[in-house]
Amino acid sequence: MQSKHYFIYTFGCAMNEYDTERIAAALEAKGYIPSDKVDDSDFIILNTCSVREKPQVKILSYLGQIKLLKEKRPNMIVGITGCVAQQEGEKFLKNNKVVNFVMGTDAVTHIDDIIEKAINGERFADTQTDSSSFSISSFSRKEKIAANVTIMKGCNNYCSYCIVPYVRGREVSRTPEEIINEIKSLVDNGVKEVCLLGQNVNSYGRNLSEKIDFPDLLSLVNKVNGLERIRFVTSHPKDFSEKMIYAMAENEKVCRYLHLPLQSGSNAVLKAMNRKYTYEEYREKIIKAREVMPDIEFSSDFIVGFPNETDDDFNDTLNAVQEIGYDRIFAFNYSKRPGTKAFDMEDNVPANVKSERLNSLFALQDSLYDKRLPGMEGIKTEVLVTSINNDKEYPYYGLNMYNRKVAFSSNKNLTFGDTASVLIKNAKRNCMYGIEV
Ligand code: SAH
Ligand code: SF4
Ligand code: F3S
């Protein structure tokens, strides 16, 4: 019998990447082989994101291409999963004849049954949700050095612009036992670094019967033998506590890098966004973290062009970026999402103004960062090797404790998962280059 192939497109955040791994494991258990080409695949999944309009539109254009492929391969199975699937459900199935099934974000817990039903020719949408508890049974994972581990799902924060609470449901945490077991088994298979995932990891544990919070979880993960590094995303500033700062400082495996999304530097905009902190409160937390860990690096997300954002409001954002001094920023034009609170507000910042603001925000960040680059040259930094390539000058590549990309050369024959001490010779915006010393 000819072997069958699968192909998964993954959009959106690390949660989706993690779910893609779960779906891949289930397909492989059914005998499907991964393919790097969509054209010769028998089972295609689009794991979707609806956080902004753009990725959602992209999905429809991919579906158009898949429709043409399916005309040639009518037995091809096409599944839509992730956040658009959760949001649109049955409607998506009805409007897109090419789709065999729609699977919401919680339905991935019974992925085996879903694949079975699809193979048996059923057409269905499964968007049932379950916010009573959250458990993920173990699944086989590709060998790698750094792995994601979802520790909680959902979000209770209802930032006024954001669709996530509607497509990922209420906040529920996995038990620490389950998380630690997953990490131990990853480490047994060669993983050296984990990234703990949640929409707001700082509220980890609130629904669990045992008394545990995220700093406690960090201490437990820190004790896993053989694990070398711990990262986590995302932290909501309102819940980022002093206890968290000390947990980061005291657990030596935790990377000195914190993604703390500010979204806007204007208190009026933050209020309209329902973020529940002021810029001054945010800045206090940054100052405190730097007091305890002077070498810590920060990154942030920003939204520009939120309804009613004035030039002055936007200037507050520029000032915040200047004042905080981020290692990296991620910024997006505001995109109106159906069902959110802000959907009822007029999207009244013109598209060209949004784009101008976005460009000047990135330009400011680049200029600030460029000034720091010379100071990074000549320093020594520890790099975990995650990839090795044919580049003659810098064959080894990985991240350091501050989440910076480093490419380097070595006299030794290094392998994946080795840690090297690298002397930085040349620091560029997107990567630092050096030699192992
Ligand atoms: N839970 C995380 C982020 C989830 S979404 C947090 O609270 O930080 C990732 C980022 O997408 C957000 O931080 C925000 O900057 C951006 N985003 C979310 N909704 C958006 C929208 N409607 N328009 C533009 N950007 C949006
Ligand atoms: Fe969205 Fe806010 Fe929840 Fe983040 S904290 S997922 S931005 S609602
Ligand atoms: Fe997108 Fe869903 Fe993640 S909306 S950002 S894939 S939680």
Side-chain angles (χ1 to χ4, degrees), residues 279 290 302 315-326 329 361 364-365 367-368 371:
Y279 171 61
R290 281 196 169 126
F302 291 95
N315 266 332
D316 288 345
T317 297
L318 293 177
N319 288 337
V321 167
Q322 175 106 35
E323 190 170 37
I324 303 289
Y326 290 104
I329 64 165
L361 184 55
L364 172 66
Q365 170 63 17
S367 73
L368 292 170
K371 286 193 197 122

Side-chain angles (χ1 to χ4, degrees), residues 42-44 63 66 70 73-80 90 92-94 96-103 114-115 117-126:
D42 307 280
F43 208 119
I44 297 177
L63 267 185
I66 291 170
K70 202 166 173 173
R73 297 167 72 87
N75 292 332
M76 182 185 253
I77 299 171
V78 180
I80 305 294
E90 199 75 51
F92 202 93
L93 195 68
K94 232 166 108 193
N96 296 281
K97 293 278 172 285
V98 65
V99 172
N100 294 75
F101 70 93
V102 173
M103 176 182 102
I114 286 183
I115 294 172
K117 265 167 77 174
I119 292 173
N120 290 337
E122 280 187 55
R123 239 184 134 234
F124 59 94
D126 183 343

Side-chain angles (χ1 to χ4, degrees), residues 201-215:
V201 292
N202 293 326
S203 54
Y204 173 80
R206 283 186 194 162
N207 70 300
L208 292 171
S209 52
E210 57 202 289
K211 211 177 146 312
I212 180 164
D213 59 13
F214 189 60

Side-chain angles (χ1 to χ4, degrees), residues 1 40 45 59 80 125 135 142 175 209 220 253 264 321:
M1 203 183 85
D40 65 0
I45 301 253
I59 287 149
I80 305 294
S135 173
K142 298 258 159 358
T175 63
S209 52
L220 287 179
K253 295 178 186 173
S264 167
V321 167

Side-chain angles (χ1 to χ4, degrees), residues 12-13 16 48-51 83 164 168 199:
C13 65
N16 267 9
T48 62
C49 170
S50 53
V51 80
C83 295
V164 171
R168 292 273 169 174
Q199 293 300 348

Side-chain angles (χ1 to χ4, degrees), residues 63-239:
L63 267 185
Q65 292 169 28
I66 291 170
K67 198 168 154 218
L68 297 177
L69 289 177
K70 202 166 173 173
E71 279 165 13
K72 286 187 228 141
R73 297 167 72 87
N75 292 332
M76 182 185 253
I77 299 171
V78 180
I80 305 294
T81 65
C83 295
V84 176
Q86 183 65 45
Q87 193 187 314
E88 306 273 322
E90 199 75 51
K91 205 167 78 197
F92 202 93
L93 195 68
K94 232 166 108 193
N95 293 342
N96 296 281
K97 293 278 172 285
V98 65
V99 172
N100 294 75
F101 70 93
V102 173
M103 176 182 102
T105 48
D106 273 3
V108 65
T109 49
H110 47 271
I111 178 71
D112 294 335
D113 300 340
I114 286 183
I115 294 172
E116 193 62 42
K117 265 167 77 174
I119 292 173
N120 290 337
E122 280 187 55
R123 239 184 134 234
F124 59 94
D126 183 343
T127 51
Q128 270 193 2
T129 53
D130 175 12
S131 288
S132 56
S133 63
F134 182 35
S135 173
I136 300 175
S137 25
S138 64
F139 59 100
S140 78
R141 316 213 15 199
K142 298 258 159 358
E143 267 179 45
K144 44 187 181 176
I145 302 302
N148 288 329
V149 175
T150 294
I151 62 164
M152 58 200 293
K153 66 174 181 178
C155 181
N156 292 352
N157 289 315
Y158 292 98
C159 302
S160 62
Y161 51 81
C162 184
I163 200 143
V164 171
Y166 305 93
V167 289
R168 292 273 169 174
R170 296 293 58 73
E171 225 168 70
V172 199
S173 301
R174 287 174 84 186
T175 63
E177 293 74 26
E178 199 178 279
I179 295 167
I180 297 295
N181 284 339
E182 179 170 346
I183 295 174
K184 281 184 176 160
S185 116
L186 286 168
V187 170
D188 287 344
N189 287 299
V191 164
K192 304 266 172 150
E193 174 181 306
V194 288
C195 184
L196 309 175
L197 304 179
Q199 293 300 348
N200 177 16
V201 292
N202 293 326
S203 54
Y204 173 80
R206 283 186 194 162
N207 70 300
L208 292 171
S209 52
E210 57 202 289
K211 211 177 146 312
I212 180 164
D213 59 13
F214 189 60
D216 300 334
L217 183 71
L218 277 183
S219 306
L220 287 179
V221 177
N222 198 65
K223 290 196 188 89
V224 174
N225 283 331
L227 183 69
E228 290 180 15
R229 284 183 183 179
I230 305 166
R231 300 180 195 277
F232 54 89
V233 278
T234 295
S235 290
H236 194 301
K238 79 175 161 53
D239 298 312

